[in-house]
Amino acid sequence: IGRVVVFEDPVLAANRPQLAIGHRSGGVWTNSAGLAWTNPYNERVWKYNVDIAVAAAKAGFDEIMFDYVRFPTDGDISAAVFPGTRDRSKNATIAAFLKYARSRLEPLGTRVSAAVFGLTATRDMGIGQRPRQLAQHLDVIYPMVYPSHFGSGEYSIDDPNAVPGVTVARALRDFRRDLRGRETVIVPWLQDFSLGRDYTLEDVSAQILAARDAQTGGFLLWNPNGIYQTKALAGS
């Protein structure tokens, strides 16, 4: 699987500012981490990213997973300016990008997939990620259902981070319901890192069990340091 980060792209934005999200006071807009984004409405940005995906597919990758395939979520969004915005919603824009990507990758025999926020099947987050709408262009969808990223009270759970297995199960329930009738395979990203509290082997194993119970097409673990609790994989 080749992972291609799409719209959060400070390198392309710095070298081609005309392709970036602009700031209302001039210059290039950046998020709270100081990173510039390219403009999701700009089809030249689409071509640039899909050209990379096609090159990866021709190099031998069987699947291309698009990540950051959305509009920005942090920073002063009200100051963001999207040059050349078409009369198209955010949801329709991201879906159109994936449709274009599929039109170029499918003839190569390459699967197309995308990573999405874990709450996008529960409600519209305003970032262009509606799983059912995207799924018509995807072979696989990867919801990032990290329990530490869910706020208090989500899914009627006081502290979602304290009960990772339950949190993952309820998030995946919404994905299964939203994608009912679609052939798109659901493969969740699960949390194998500590945030808010120390994550144990039992916490990781509970998430894996929840994914199995939801009859997903497998799962992926994420740890930003690349250090995993491999014992959780026993019997997976």
Side-chain angles (χ1 to χ4, degrees), residues 22 30 44 61 97 101 111 115 139 141 146 160 167 190 199 214 224:
T30 57
R44 291 174 64 193
F61 285 96
F97 165 75
R111 296 187 301 274
D139 297 291
I141 193 165
Y146 309 130
T167 301
L190 306 178
Y199 259 60

Side-chain angles (χ1 to χ4, degrees), residues 71-72 90-91 123-129:
F71 284 76
K90 290 181 178 180
N91 291 338
R123 58 175 174 270
D124 189 342
M125 300 183 69
I127 58 174
Q129 291 185 344

Side-chain angles (χ1 to χ4, degrees), residues 6 17-18 21 57 78 98 134 172 182 198:
V6 187
Q18 69 273 23
I21 298 174
S78 65
L98 291 174
L134 303 185
L172 292 178
R182 299 285 194 208
D198 290 335

